[in-house]
Amino acid sequence: MTSRHRFAAPILAAVFLAVAGAAQAAPITRTYDFNASGFSGGAPTDPVIGSVTVTFDPMGGDVIDQTTDITLNSLNIALDNAIAFRFLSGLNRLDIGGISVGGLVNNDFFLGITNPESAMPTTTAFEYTTTGVSSAFRSSNLNLTVTFEDLPEPAAITLFGFGLAGLGVALRRRRNR
């Protein structure tokens, strides 16, 4: 065995471990389309229809009142605050709404989603407020559709490349024998 080949396996193992470590956490992007109806207390707008796109890292820990990585695509009620989200990793819950997520103020809304990274997320609540009304309107009927915008992780692509390179080396060795 030549010295060049002696170090090939440890170097490939180190590269594999570095790439595999980087693959554990990766942001995901989801678009949530929602339709909430059946509000209590004579809500002025029923149904409330909207769409929001959020990018978050399910393995990255808690995120509180983040106004970046979120886009309000559409909403048929007034919103006086910046759109924001929080992700609570211990509860695996994504909360979306105005900047005061979880503490509604005038012209604000709150959408709670559990298992937000899955193909079948579950809604926990939807409520909204309007100017001049002291209480929130809570939905009794909430439909949620999720759209995935995931791209392959760079680490997975790199591992695939290493696999192809390994096959090429094996074929070359077989031909040279």
Side-chain angles (χ1 to χ4, degrees):
M1 179 182 274
T2 66
S3 63
R4 183 176 61 153
H5 290 56
R6 186 179 326 151
F7 298 108
I11 290 171
L12 284 175
V15 169
F16 174 77
L17 290 174
V19 170
Q24 292 180 4
I28 59 172
T29 300
R30 299 286 189 265
T31 297
Y32 300 100
D33 299 315
F34 55 91
N35 183 328
S37 62
F39 291 95
S40 58
T45 303
D46 191 353
V48 173
I49 302 168
S51 175
V52 62
T53 301
V54 183
T55 300
F56 63 99
D57 185 349
M59 304 301 285
D62 291 353
V63 175
I64 305 296
D65 288 341
Q66 182 157 330
T67 58
T68 59
D69 297 324
I70 184 166
T71 303
L72 183 61
N73 304 318
S74 64
L75 185 64
N76 68 337
I77 58 173
L79 181 63
D80 287 350
N81 299 297
I83 187 75
F85 74 95
R86 71 177 170 199
F87 178 71
L88 304 174
S89 59
L91 300 173
N92 196 19
R93 190 177 82 207
L94 180 67
D95 297 333
I96 300 170
I99 190 65
S100 61
V101 174
L104 294 171
V105 295
N106 285 337
N107 293 333
D108 200 359
F109 78 97
F110 171 81
L111 172 63
I113 303 170
T114 56
N115 302 317
E117 78 288 354
S118 74
M120 301 286 292
T122 306
T123 55
T124 58
F126 182 88
E127 53 189 29
Y128 79 97
T129 60
T130 61
T131 302
V133 178
S134 61
S135 62
F137 300 103
R138 188 180 227 353
S139 173
S140 61
N141 183 18
L142 181 57
N143 295 312
L144 183 72
T145 304
V146 62
T147 304
F148 300 87
E149 297 178 18
D150 292 338
L151 298 173
E153 295 182 33
I157 293 169
T158 303
L159 288 174
F160 180 71
F162 279 131
L164 286 177
L167 285 173
V169 169
L171 288 173
R172 184 173 178 185
R173 283 185 179 175
R174 181 176 284 176
R175 284 186 192 153
N176 290 337
R177 285 186 183 172

